[in-house]
Amino acid sequence: MTWSDDAPPSARVLIAAETELAAQLIAALREAPSWRFETSVVHPTEVDFDRIDDEFDVYLVDVSTLDPHVSSADVAGRRPVIAICHELETSLERVRAAGGYELLEQQDLTPRTLERTIRHALEQAQLGASLREAKARHALLMRAANDGLWEWDLNTDTIHYSPRWKQLFGIDDEDIGDSRDVWLSRVHQDDLPGLRADLSAHIDGRSVIHQFEHRVRQRDGGYRWVLSRGLVRRDRWGRASALAGSLTDINRRKRAEALAAPHALHDELTGLPSRRVLVERLEHAIEQNRRDPEFRFSVLFLNLDRFKVLNDSIGLDSADRILAQLAQRLRDCVAEGTLVCRYGGDEFAILIEGNDEFSEADRLAAAIHDNLRQPFDLDEQTIFTTASIGITNSARNYERPAEVIRDAGVATSRAKRRGKSRSSTFDTAMRQEALNTLRTQMQLREAIVRQQFEVYYQPIVALGSCRLTGFEALVRWNHPKRGVIGPIEFIALAEETGLIVPIGQFVLREACSQMAAWHRRSPDANDVSISINLSGHQLGSPTLVTDIEQVLDEVGLPPEAVKLELTESTLIDDPTTATRILGRLRDRGIKLYIDDFGTGYSSLSYLHRFAIDGLKIDKSFVDMVGHDDRKAAIVPSIVGLAHNLGMGVVAEGVETPQQARELTLLDCGEAQGYLFSRPVPRDQASELIVRRILWDDDILKGP
């Protein structure tokens, strides 16, 4: 393979196929627009994947030659293998499981498609080889370092530990595996919540570095102080992909500090007591409650909402001033003697001891929320922010401070999921919910690695003619045990963890590739478009526009065939960035639609500002047609607004002929919903493309 500036790129290709297919491949490769290919042909029975070597750069094989019992890593790790099949006779997932890199249908073997697929396969193979080489160098470095080094792969949730790291724990002669629990299970129970919080803050982008001192249990049962430091590595979409760092033995220094430094009991930025004071006071409160059940205590755990966005927009120094002002406000809200401490980052904790009623904690939380309605003043800036508050109390018969902090943190997470600026009191069901959420998150990461997602397509029709005008691409998770899972069960968690970015990238590429294939097969369907949802995380990616352009170029789909759907809240979160990015997308011919219109801000000003092409009426309003005239009245208002602004309008969730008839009378242009079709996999969508007129328009004429 050559990549010279003086000559066109070239590659050596081995074709393992019957005579007719081999001839088709050779002809297509000869007409490739930019590359030059040297080809050799063997019968499908003669190719030996166990002996792949450097003689060829890429393999084009009939799908029947792949062995389903061979691991894809065993084959694709050596040379890229591209499988050719007849129309819809197998799936890409099965091909990849058997060792193939990509799957092409025989009818799609154009010179441009074949060249593009081979180029992409070779680029990925080079990246894989570079990665393996980098890992080998990294392993050598880890063996030589004095500090204990670790590297956490966030996609697989595994951690690699250096020999020196194991020595610090006194387990250097053990085969410990690559689980997080190898580390976390040895951390002192009072230090573990803080370590988790610090790691999470850095992964989420709320801190510039992970740096945390904690105690680790050694083989003899004793504890040693270590300093953990690390930096996150992010992919081109800004998603955290790995965290690498070190453990340093600081046991001697900590012993000296314990003799001399009372300042460790207070936070330097806010002047509040530190988490160490909280732990000590909680130990005392738990013991007192154990002796006297009438002694009550409550803990409020407070976390600022959208603090990362605040950090990014006003800078670290200004954000620190917000934290200092917040600390003073919390002092002002509590009674004298009530402990307020800074737990870490933007997290604060309040301990109420000896309270007559647990409802005191609820009243304090309400007072804090009320206080935060007042803006923070930073020179000439006025900043508004809110907080989520989790509450737990001594009625749960806690035995250790770590349990109290854990449950208060779980309640805080519940408050955030309920919509920010909320309070939530812990109950046992929350803990199980937190465990289920963590389990689902780990399974989601695995699903991304194992490519367990599939795109379904829901038709969009022109109401006047019942003619197919487009599809909305909707993701489904093919869970190995639970079967096909709809987005309502995992999209919110994917948004919260940032995993929506790789999932969104998959949907974008898969949907555009499929639509391009439909256009090639049915030239009279070139006016059928594909609508794709765009998340806030994707909109915030600096490479979004170039990523979309690259996908469209590679699959051969014109930008005019793509509609991107965004929610109102996504636009309002960062309007400056949204204006810039959406303007660039629209300049390239991509259409922009507001999804679920009417359920969010519904501001007329942003419809002009963001140059929106169309509105999608939320299903909740369409449901009211024929049932609640007052609520249904918003539908003609939205249709009229769209017409006055020269925009398209699509009604979502149309399920009855009556809804379709009334929307038609209102001059609503398009609709989608179960009346016409549920979301369907691509093979069923292909049949709808062929039919085009999908439904009898008698449903629009009434009884």
Side-chain angles (χ1 to χ4, degrees):
M1 179 176 60
T2 64
W3 301 77
S4 170
D5 291 336
D6 300 327
S10 63
R12 298 161 298 175
V13 182
L14 178 66
I15 298 173
E18 298 285 356
T19 304
E20 180 182 352
L21 176 57
Q24 183 181 357
L25 288 168
I26 292 173
L29 291 174
R30 284 176 179 169
E31 297 176 9
S34 303
W35 281 55
R36 297 294 176 265
F37 296 102
E38 299 176 16
T39 58
S40 297
V41 180
V42 297
H43 191 269
T45 59
E46 296 176 10
V47 65
D48 186 357
F49 290 114
D50 291 329
R51 300 187 62 182
I52 287 180
D53 52 30
D54 291 334
E55 183 178 354
F56 298 99
D57 299 310
V58 66
Y59 288 68
L60 297 178
V61 304
D62 188 291
V63 71
S64 63
T65 66
L66 294 180
D67 186 348
H69 303 294
V70 175
S71 165
S72 60
D74 295 337
V75 176
R78 291 169 281 173
R79 281 293 180 271
V81 176
I82 299 170
I84 314 298
C85 73
H86 299 290
E87 187 170 345
L88 298 177
E89 68 181 26
T90 189
S91 69
L92 179 58
E93 291 75 16
R94 292 182 59 187
V95 167
R96 285 180 173 165
Y101 169 79
E102 187 58 273
L103 174 68
L104 295 176
E105 293 183 24
Q106 187 171 353
Q107 63 185 22
D108 290 335
L109 294 179
T110 65
R112 184 176 296 276
T113 299
L114 201 54
E115 177 186 286
R116 183 171 56 242
T117 303
I118 291 175
R119 173 172 59 83
H120 199 260
L122 291 172
E123 289 171 351
Q124 293 301 308
Q126 281 194 329
L127 287 174
S130 300
L131 179 61
R132 289 190 293 274
E133 183 180 349
K135 285 184 175 179
R137 291 198 303 268
H138 178 65
L140 181 63
L141 247 141
M142 292 187 77
R143 288 195 297 271
N146 187 42
D147 282 352
L149 303 183
W150 51 269
E151 185 170 12
W152 183 4
D153 186 329
L154 297 173
N155 292 320
T156 61
D157 199 28
T158 57
I159 303 181
H160 179 65
Y161 305 101
S162 74
R164 173 58 180 157
W165 187 96
K166 294 190 286 184
Q167 287 176 5
L168 291 175
F169 287 84
I171 54 174
D172 50 304
D173 58 345
E174 296 183 23
D175 182 9
I176 60 174
D178 56 7
S179 167
R180 276 186 301 165
D181 288 340
V182 172
W183 177 4
L184 300 183
S185 66
R186 291 174 167 83
V187 176
H188 193 286
Q189 62 184 18
D190 292 341
D191 299 336
L192 183 57
L195 176 62
R196 289 184 183 274
D198 200 86
L199 286 166
S200 296
H202 185 51
I203 291 171
D204 294 343
R206 291 182 282 119
S207 65
V208 295
I209 189 172
H210 156 62
Q211 185 163 302
F212 191 80
E213 297 177 355
H214 60 282
R215 290 160 288 181
V216 294
R217 188 182 69 252
Q218 298 182 281
R219 175 179 285 175
D220 61 6
Y223 283 90
R224 176 180 296 275
W225 277 99
V226 295
L227 168 64
S228 173
R229 288 178 292 194
L231 285 173
V232 74
R233 183 168 67 247
R234 302 186 184 278
D235 57 24
R236 59 178 178 169
W237 303 289
R239 179 192 57 167
S241 59
L243 187 64
S246 64
L247 280 189
T248 305
D249 186 346
I250 59 169
N251 210 48
R252 184 176 300 176
R253 174 172 69 79
K254 292 297 288 187
R255 285 201 302 266
E257 287 179 354
L259 298 174
H263 304 293
L265 300 178
H266 287 81
D267 173 58
E268 183 178 351
L269 173 66
T270 64
L272 293 176
S274 67
R275 68 170 62 133
R276 177 177 168 183
V277 177
L278 173 67
V279 170
E280 291 174 353
R281 290 276 292 270
L282 274 174
E283 287 175 342
H284 180 268
I286 291 170
E287 180 59 32
Q288 194 166 348
N289 174 256
R290 189 179 293 121
R291 294 194 305 267
D292 178 12
E294 295 300 315
F295 175 84
R296 298 181 177 91
F297 68 85
S298 299
V299 170
L300 291 80
F301 204 80
L302 179 148
N303 184 240
L304 286 179
D305 298 324
R306 303 184 185 278
F307 188 66
K308 181 181 182 299
V309 175
L310 192 67
N311 248 329
D312 294 342
S313 58
I314 67 176
L316 291 174
D317 291 341
S318 295
D320 282 348
R321 291 172 61 189
I322 293 287
L323 295 176
Q325 291 183 37
L326 174 61
Q328 184 56 52
R329 291 193 186 192
L330 294 178
R331 289 191 194 99
D332 295 339
C333 286
V334 302
E336 185 175 354
T338 298
L339 175 66
V340 180
C341 80
R342 186 186 181 196
Y343 193 78
D346 63 320
E347 296 172 327
F348 295 81
I350 300 173
L351 172 62
I352 306 175
E353 298 178 87
N355 42 325
D356 295 331
E357 298 177 350
F358 290 132
S359 58
E360 288 184 33
D362 296 318
R363 288 193 289 270
L364 176 56
I368 293 172
H369 286 309
D370 187 60
N371 186 294
L372 288 178
R373 292 190 179 95
Q374 302 301 315
F376 292 86
D377 293 323
L378 297 179
D379 300 327
E380 297 180 356
Q381 286 183 297
T382 300
I383 304 296
F384 288 88
T385 187
T386 59
S388 298
I389 301 176
I391 304 170
T392 191
N393 57 57
S394 54
R396 313 217 65 79
N397 298 318
Y398 291 109
E399 295 184 359
R400 295 189 297 272
E403 297 172 351
V404 182
I405 296 168
R406 174 200 63 200
D407 289 352
V410 168
T412 307
S413 298
R414 164 67 74 87
K416 280 189 178 293
R417 288 196 295 274
R418 288 174 58 200
K420 314 293 190 299
S421 192
R422 301 288 186 92
S423 300
S424 182
T425 300
F426 178 81
D427 59 48
T428 306
M430 287 187 191
R431 188 178 301 155
Q432 186 59 48
E433 180 184 341
L435 290 172
N436 292 340
T437 298
L438 178 61
R439 186 181 302 113
T440 303
Q441 180 180 341
M442 295 172 64
Q443 291 175 346
L444 265 180
R445 294 185 185 277
E446 183 178 5
I448 292 170
V449 173
R450 298 185 180 277
Q451 300 178 336
Q452 293 174 353
F453 294 101
E454 181 180 358
V455 176
Y456 274 46
Y457 301 88
Q458 184 169 35
I460 300 172
V461 302
L463 276 173
S465 62
C466 287
R467 183 177 177 84
L468 177 71
T469 60
F471 290 101
E472 180 177 358
L474 300 166
V475 68
R476 297 292 186 269
W477 179 4
N478 288 321
H479 194 283
K481 294 182 179 178
R482 296 172 58 193
V484 178
I485 300 176
I488 194 171
E489 293 193 40
F490 64 88
I491 286 297
L493 179 61
E495 286 273 12
E496 184 179 329
T497 58
L499 296 175
I500 192 66
V501 174
I503 294 174
Q505 278 291 108
F506 163 78
V507 173
L508 175 71
R509 178 174 291 277
E510 184 73 13
C512 290
S513 177
Q514 185 59 64
M515 183 54 68
W518 283 331
H519 282 187
R520 287 194 296 271
R521 293 175 201 166
S522 305
D524 60 335
N526 282 348
D527 58 338
V528 177
S529 63
I530 187 72
S531 297
I532 302 168
N533 293 284
L534 197 65
S535 73
H537 282 81
Q538 289 174 284
L539 188 62
S541 169
T543 61
L544 173 67
V545 178
T546 54
D547 291 340
I548 293 176
E549 288 177 334
Q550 182 178 355
V551 167
L552 296 180
D553 178 62
E554 289 182 0
V555 304
L557 183 68
E560 296 77 14
V562 178
K563 296 177 180 177
L564 297 179
E565 298 185 5
L566 306 96
T567 62
E568 298 171 73
S569 59
T570 296
L571 298 175
I572 299 301
D573 278 346
D574 188 355
T576 302
T577 300
T579 301
R580 175 174 49 83
I581 292 179
L582 297 185
R584 292 175 59 193
L585 290 170
R586 202 166 188 265
D587 288 344
R588 284 153 177 79
I590 296 172
K591 293 182 173 60
L592 307 171
Y593 272 61
I594 300 295
D595 197 14
D596 302 334
F597 186 78
T599 61
Y601 297 89
S602 302
S603 168
L604 295 180
S605 62
Y606 74 64
L607 293 180
H608 290 287
R609 179 176 182 180
F610 299 123
I612 300 302
D613 293 288
L615 308 176
K616 299 194 76 174
I617 306 174
D618 186 69
K619 181 181 185 298
S620 62
F621 300 124
V622 175
D623 285 343
M624 295 300 105
V625 173
H627 297 285
D628 187 328
D629 292 339
R630 183 177 178 184
K631 292 183 179 178
I634 196 171
V635 175
S637 299
I638 295 175
V639 174
L641 173 66
H643 288 168
N644 290 334
L645 295 175
M647 297 179 180
V649 60
V650 182
E652 297 180 292
V654 177
E655 297 182 349
T656 68
Q658 180 184 0
Q659 291 171 347
R661 287 194 294 270
E662 295 202 23
L663 287 164
T664 303
L665 292 173
L666 290 172
D667 200 19
C668 178
E670 296 173 296
Q672 65 186 96
Y674 287 1
L675 174 65
F676 307 108
S677 173
R678 292 174 178 268
V680 295
R682 66 176 182 181
D683 55 340
Q684 295 181 39
S686 297
E687 297 174 2
L688 301 181
I689 282 277
V690 174
R691 289 167 54 189
R692 288 306 300 275
I693 304 297
L694 305 182
W695 299 272
D696 185 349
D697 61 4
D698 285 344
I699 65 172
L700 305 180
K701 298 176 181 177

